[in-house]
């Protein structure tokens, strides 16, 4: 198997309440293509707990505390959804600053499901074409984004998807952005 993005550094920014599949599966698929994936979190614990179906899911090890993360080290950023995770992160100025730093460096920023809430609060949504979980459509539109119901929407270096069913297309879009 050819590893299309061998050695590329990808950060996944998350905290407690991330949608289990939206962190685990992109991480697995990106690593299968050769990426080095680092879970970055503002959480003080050594691991963060996911959300699966209608209850707490499994835990994921935090590889790097957000306070120690240098956005310049990464080639891309992935923002998983879930409701709790992005709702918590969108009021965290350090998290928003990290997201802006990756975007300002011209690197891919990819958000799925409720993850695009972070694009609103970091100022990245305005004027961009995006998708998300349907309940965010009005929030994104109010923030000046053009919302579209599609499996994956790529607007420059901004990549968005709607839901867990879109993870294969979402991950492929991230791979393509890193391989370009």
């Amino acid at each position: 198997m050819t590893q299309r993005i061998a050695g590329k550094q990808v950060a996944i920014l998350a905290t407690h309440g991330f949608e289990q599949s939206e962190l685990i599966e992109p991480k697995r698929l990106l690593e299968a293509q050769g990426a080095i994936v680092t879970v970055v979190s503002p959480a003080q614990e050594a691991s963060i707990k996911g959300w699966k179906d209608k209850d707490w899911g499994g835990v994921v090890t935090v590889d790097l505390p957000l306070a120690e993360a240098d956005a310049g080290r990464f080639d891309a950023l992935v923002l998983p959804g879930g409701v709790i995770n992005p709702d918590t992160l969108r009021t965290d100025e350090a998290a928003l600053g990290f997201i802006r730093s990756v975007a300002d460096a011209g690197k891919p920023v990819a958000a799925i499901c409720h993850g695009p809430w972070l694009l609103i609060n970091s100022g990245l949504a305005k004027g961009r074409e995006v998708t998300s979980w349907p309940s965010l459509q009005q929030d994104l539109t109010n923030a000046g984004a053009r919302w579209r119901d599609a499996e994956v929407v790529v607007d420059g270096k901004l990549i968005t998807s709607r839901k867990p069913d879109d993870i294969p297309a979402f991950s492929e879009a991230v791979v393509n952005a890193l391989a370009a």
Side-chain angles (χ1 to χ4, degrees), residues 16-21 24 48-60 84:
H16 298 288
F18 63 88
E19 177 65 36
Q20 191 87 24
S21 63
I24 300 296
I48 51 177
K49 188 174 267 198
W51 190 261
K52 185 174 180 182
D53 301 321
K54 296 181 181 192
D55 203 352
W56 291 104
V59 297
V60 170
I84 300 167

Coordinates of all heavy atoms in Angstrom, one line a residue, residues 16-21 24 48-60 84:
H16 N -13.0 16.6 26.0 CA -14.0 15.6 26.4 C -15.3 15.8 25.6 O -15.7 17.0 25.4 CB -14.3 15.7 27.9 CG -13.1 15.4 28.8 ND1 -12.7 14.1 29.0 CD2 -12.3 16.2 29.5 CE1 -11.6 14.2 29.8 NE2 -11.4 15.4 30.1
G17 N -15.9 14.7 25.2 CA -17.2 14.8 24.5 C -17.1 14.8 23.0 O -18.1 15.1 22.3
F18 N -15.9 14.5 22.5 CA -15.8 14.4 21.0 C -16.6 13.2 20.6 O -16.7 12.3 21.3 CB -14.3 14.3 20.6 CG -13.6 13.0 21.2 CD1 -13.7 11.8 20.4 CD2 -13.0 13.0 22.4 CE1 -13.1 10.7 20.9 CE2 -12.4 11.9 22.9 CZ -12.4 10.7 22.2
E19 N -17.1 13.3 19.3 CA -17.8 12.2 18.7 C -16.8 11.1 18.5 O -15.8 11.3 17.7 CB -18.5 12.6 17.4 CG -19.2 11.5 16.7 CD -20.4 10.9 17.5 OE1 -21.1 11.7 18.2 OE2 -20.6 9.7 17.4
Q20 N -17.0 10.0 19.1 CA -16.0 8.9 19.1 C -15.5 8.6 17.7 O -14.3 8.6 17.4 CB -16.6 7.6 19.7 CG -15.7 6.5 20.0 CD -15.0 6.6 21.3 OE1 -15.5 7.2 22.2 NE2 -13.9 6.0 21.4
S21 N -16.4 8.3 16.7 CA -16.0 7.9 15.4 C -15.3 9.1 14.6 O -14.5 8.8 13.8 CB -17.2 7.4 14.6 OG -18.2 8.5 14.4
I24 N -11.6 8.9 16.1 CA -10.9 7.6 15.9 C -10.7 7.2 14.4 O -9.6 6.9 14.0 CB -11.7 6.5 16.6 CG1 -11.8 6.8 18.1 CG2 -11.1 5.1 16.3 CD1 -10.5 6.8 18.9
I48 N -8.8 11.9 27.1 CA -10.1 12.6 27.0 C -11.1 11.5 26.6 O -10.8 10.5 26.0 CB -10.1 13.7 25.9 CG1 -9.5 13.2 24.6 CG2 -9.3 14.9 26.5 CD1 -9.5 14.3 23.5
K49 N -12.4 11.7 27.1 CA -13.4 10.7 26.9 C -14.3 11.2 25.7 O -14.8 12.3 25.7 CB -14.2 10.6 28.2 CG -15.2 9.5 28.2 CD -15.9 9.3 29.5 CE -15.1 8.3 30.2 NZ -15.9 7.7 31.3
G50 N -14.6 10.2 24.9 CA -15.5 10.4 23.7 C -16.9 10.2 24.1 O -17.3 9.9 25.2
W51 N -17.8 10.5 23.1 CA -19.2 10.4 23.2 C -19.6 9.4 22.1 O -19.2 9.6 20.9 CB -19.9 11.7 23.0 CG -21.4 11.7 23.3 CD1 -22.4 11.5 22.4 CD2 -22.0 11.7 24.6 NE1 -23.6 11.5 23.0 CE2 -23.4 11.6 24.4 CE3 -21.5 11.8 25.8 CZ2 -24.3 11.7 25.4 CZ3 -22.4 11.9 26.9 CH2 -23.7 11.8 26.7
K52 N -20.3 8.3 22.4 CA -20.7 7.3 21.4 C -22.2 7.1 21.6 O -22.7 6.7 22.7 CB -19.9 6.1 21.6 CG -20.2 5.1 20.5 CD -19.3 3.9 20.6 CE -19.6 2.9 19.5 NZ -18.9 1.7 19.6
D53 N -22.9 7.3 20.5 CA -24.4 7.1 20.5 C -25.0 8.0 21.5 O -25.0 9.2 21.3 CB -24.8 5.6 20.8 CG -24.2 4.7 19.7 OD1 -24.2 5.1 18.5 OD2 -23.7 3.6 20.0
K54 N -25.5 7.6 22.6 CA -26.2 8.5 23.6 C -25.6 8.4 24.9 O -26.2 8.7 25.9 CB -27.7 8.1 23.7 CG -28.4 8.3 22.3 CD -29.8 8.0 22.4 CE -30.3 8.2 21.0 NZ -31.6 8.3 20.7
D55 N -24.3 8.1 25.0 CA -23.6 8.0 26.3 C -22.1 8.2 26.1 O -21.6 8.2 24.9 CB -23.9 6.6 26.9 CG -23.7 6.7 28.4 OD1 -23.2 7.7 29.0 OD2 -24.0 5.6 29.0
W56 N -21.4 8.3 27.2 CA -19.9 8.4 27.1 C -19.3 7.2 26.4 O -19.8 6.1 26.6 CB -19.3 8.6 28.5 CG -19.7 9.9 29.1 CD1 -20.6 10.2 30.0 CD2 -19.2 11.2 28.7 NE1 -20.7 11.5 30.3 CE2 -19.8 12.1 29.5 CE3 -18.2 11.6 27.8 CZ2 -19.5 13.5 29.3 CZ3 -17.9 12.9 27.6 CH2 -18.6 13.9 28.4
G57 N -18.3 7.4 25.6 CA -17.6 6.3 24.9 C -16.3 6.0 25.5 O -16.1 6.2 26.7
G58 N -15.3 5.6 24.7 CA -14.0 5.3 25.2 C -13.1 6.5 25.3 O -13.5 7.6 25.1
V59 N -11.9 6.2 25.8 CA -11.0 7.3 26.0 C -9.9 7.3 24.9 O -9.6 6.2 24.4 CB -10.3 7.3 27.4 CG1 -11.3 7.4 28.5 CG2 -9.5 6.0 27.6
V60 N -9.3 8.4 24.7 CA -8.2 8.6 23.8 C -7.1 9.3 24.5 O -7.3 10.3 25.2 CB -8.6 9.4 22.5 CG1 -7.5 9.8 21.7 CG2 -9.7 8.7 21.7
I84 N -20.6 18.3 22.7 CA -19.9 18.8 23.8 C -18.5 19.3 23.5 O -18.2 20.4 23.9 CB -19.8 17.7 24.9 CG1 -21.2 17.2 25.3 CG2 -19.0 18.1 26.1 CD1 -21.2 15.9 26.1

